[in-house]
Amino acid sequence: EDQVTQSPEALRLQEGESSSLNCSYTVSGLRGLFWYRQDPGKGPEFLFTLYSAGEEKEKERLKATLTKKESFLHITAPKPEDSATYLCAVLENTGFQKLVFGTGTRLLVSP
Amino acid sequence: DGGITQSPKYLFRKEGQNVTLSCEQNLNHDAMYWYRQDPGQGLRLIYYSQIVNDFQKGDIAEGYSVSREKKESFPLTVTSAQKNPTAFYLCASSVGGAGELFFGEGSRLTVL
């Protein structure tokens, strides 16, 4: 069964303090790995898709990378507005392409 | 602006009552989904629909029902058979069965 594990569960950073969030996965054949951002009380917002090991995607202060077993979301010089829960999901290798979500990392960036 | 609209945002229900959550999209997407989110758990798929008049059970369909009579609409009914219905419910859509989902703002259901 496909599994997605995110760490840490929660992370507190000072503004400008760079760090990384981890998403490890076990799938029989990766069809895609997805990062979402979720603000409290809101629906998730799509950030990135990664398909193969070595691939990288960037958006403002965020960069997502992918290896054969895990993905990292690097946050460079974060700002308080980057505070949110970041969700990772993998596309299950079945007839219907279903997403399997991790439990997320809650990021708090203090000014 | 294109997007997904869920209503109501907050809903309170007495035990034994059925409730229906609305989900409407104007993105012209074929596929629509319902997820449930509980604290400390990943999003779990309740039902999905890839085309009008067709839908499939997800991982936790027991106690729920859906319909897909129009491309734009995918309402979810939480029945009295659902043993633990208090949760945050999210509707989503996508162009196809892909992983880039567009989510609504969610509906929070509380059973009193």
Side-chain angles (χ1 to χ4, degrees):
Chain A
E1 182 179 320
D2 296 345
Q3 287 193 324
V4 179
T5 303
Q6 291 189 247
S7 63
E9 286 188 14
L11 180 63
R12 185 163 189 163
L13 300 173
Q14 292 293 316
E15 184 171 3
E17 179 186 3
S18 301
S19 187
S20 297
L21 314 182
N22 177 264
C23 171
S24 61
Y25 59 90
T26 55
V27 295
S28 56
L30 184 68
R31 305 284 292 272
L33 186 141
F34 303 82
W35 284 97
Y36 287 84
R37 168 192 170 127
Q38 185 175 24
D39 292 309
K42 306 281 189 181
E45 176 187 355
F46 168 75
L47 291 174
F48 302 111
T49 307
L50 301 166
Y51 289 108
S52 56
E55 190 174 359
E56 298 183 352
K57 294 277 181 70
E58 284 189 67
K59 181 179 179 180
E60 297 181 354
R61 295 175 292 282
L62 301 177
K63 183 169 82 171
T65 62
L66 181 65
T67 72
K68 288 186 178 180
K69 293 187 177 182
E70 57 192 349
S71 177
F72 293 93
L73 185 64
H74 306 278
I75 304 176
T76 301
K79 297 182 178 181
E81 52 261 43
D82 294 322
S83 298
T85 295
Y86 291 87
L87 304 175
C88 172
V90 297
L91 208 52
E92 205 171 58
N93 191 21
T94 61
F96 172 73
Q97 295 182 342
K98 188 186 77 174
L99 282 178
V100 177
F101 282 88
T103 54
T105 293
R106 294 190 314 277
L107 175 66
L108 177 63
V109 182
S110 302
Chain B
D1 286 338
I4 297 181
T5 302
Q6 288 188 241
S7 63
K9 190 169 177 64
Y10 299 96
L11 186 61
F12 297 89
R13 183 194 100 175
K14 293 182 179 179
E15 284 191 17
Q17 290 181 335
N18 293 353
V19 294
T20 297
L21 308 180
S22 170
C23 178
E24 302 279 332
Q25 56 103 354
N26 59 5
L27 298 167
N28 200 34
H29 287 171
D30 290 315
M32 296 187 74
Y33 313 78
W34 275 104
Y35 284 89
R36 170 180 172 142
Q37 188 172 35
D38 295 284
Q41 297 195 43
L43 273 69
R44 291 182 291 167
L45 184 63
I46 304 172
Y47 267 98
Y48 63 94
S49 169
Q50 295 178 273
I51 197 169
V52 175
N53 292 322
D54 186 53
F55 49 83
Q56 305 295 329
K57 292 181 179 180
D59 298 320
I60 56 165
E62 185 175 351
Y64 300 98
S65 66
V66 294
S67 63
R68 187 87 186 275
E69 297 176 0
K70 298 187 299 182
K71 187 175 185 178
E72 302 79 19
S73 179
F74 192 40
L76 173 74
T77 297
V78 184
T79 75
S80 56
Q82 168 51 233
K83 297 192 186 319
N84 186 20
T86 294
F88 189 50
Y89 291 89
L90 289 159
C91 180
S93 70
S94 67
V95 173
E100 295 183 21
L101 303 182
F102 290 81
F103 283 89
E105 294 274 279
S107 293
R108 186 168 298 280
L109 172 64
T110 302
V111 174
L112 305 172

